[in-house]
């Protein structure tokens, strides 16, 4: 599933993030943090949600920075 985080298809990236979050895959924290720059808002939302489920402290600065963005869904996911 890690390889799908960089897939060209938005739905593949979104589902990979969702799966990795559900599995609490700590090794995905770095790649998921990088997804905050994704052009698709739903991908950014699921990346933030997955990071919350993983529970690692490493992406906290990136999650805090996401709170300042205009994207309401990603901000909500980062906050939650």
């Amino acid at each position: 599933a890690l390889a799908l985080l960089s897939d060209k298809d938005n739905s593949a990236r979104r589902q990979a993030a969702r799966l990795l979050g559900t599995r609490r895959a700590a090794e995905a924290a770095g790649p998921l943090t990088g997804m905050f720059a994704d052009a698709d808002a739903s991908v950014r939302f699921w990346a933030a949600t997955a990071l919350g489920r993983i529970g690692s402290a490493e992406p906290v600065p990136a999650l805090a920075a996401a709170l300042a963005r205009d994207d309401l869904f990603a901000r909500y996911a980062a906050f939650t």
Side-chain angles (χ1 to χ4, degrees):
L2 275 172
L4 290 174
L5 291 177
S6 59
D7 197 277
K8 292 180 182 180
D9 184 11
N10 293 344
S11 63
R13 292 193 311 279
R14 184 173 47 246
Q15 291 303 321
R18 185 172 174 229
L19 174 68
L20 290 164
T22 301
R23 292 185 178 176
R24 293 178 170 77
E27 68 276 8
L32 286 166
T33 302
M35 293 176 75
F36 286 155
D38 199 282
D40 186 282
S42 67
V43 171
R44 294 191 303 268
F45 173 84
W46 280 107
T49 302
L51 286 167
R53 289 181 177 165
I54 291 170
S56 171
E58 177 186 335
V60 169
L63 286 167
L67 294 173
R69 295 193 179 164
D70 293 334
D71 180 355
L72 296 177
F73 292 108
R75 275 186 22 210
Y76 174 78
F79 175 79
T80 304

